[in-house]
Amino acid sequence: MPPHDRRRARIAFSDAAAKQLEDLTDEAGLHALDRALVVLSVDPEIGEPIPGSTDGPQLRQYADDVERVRLLYFVTALKTVVVVAYIEV
């Protein structure tokens, strides 16, 4: 299937990540997060797996060096990206 025909993944947030979003007030931070979420919605497998437990879904991290943010997330069987944490670096 050509890339433009693929549907984007749905994005959801853990309670901890939702709390982080509530506390995010500056426009630059919101822009950086939005950009990273768009990348993940287009290609959920872009991040690197984080070594650890094999119980449950594989935790991954995506770092955007331009916007200087990192997202910790996992992808469900239905291709929903669940953001666990948002970190500005």
Side-chain angles (χ1 to χ4, degrees), residues 38-78:
V38 167
V39 170
L40 286 181
S41 73
V42 172
D43 184 4
E45 303 297 325
I46 195 169
E48 300 173 1
I50 296 175
S53 173
T54 56
D55 298 340
Q58 172 70 54
L59 192 60
R60 304 177 72 83
Q61 69 177 334
Y62 169 71
D64 184 324
D65 295 330
V66 173
E67 296 291 345
R68 300 181 48 88
V69 300
R70 184 168 63 131
L71 295 173
L72 303 180
Y73 68 99
F74 63 89
V75 181
T76 69
L78 296 176

Side-chain angles (χ1 to χ4, degrees), residues 15-35:
D15 290 342
K19 175 66 175 139
Q20 285 181 295
L21 292 178
E22 288 175 16
D23 296 339
L24 189 61
T25 58
D26 69 291
E27 193 169 321
L30 290 170
H31 173 77
L33 175 61
D34 187 53
R35 177 182 159 112

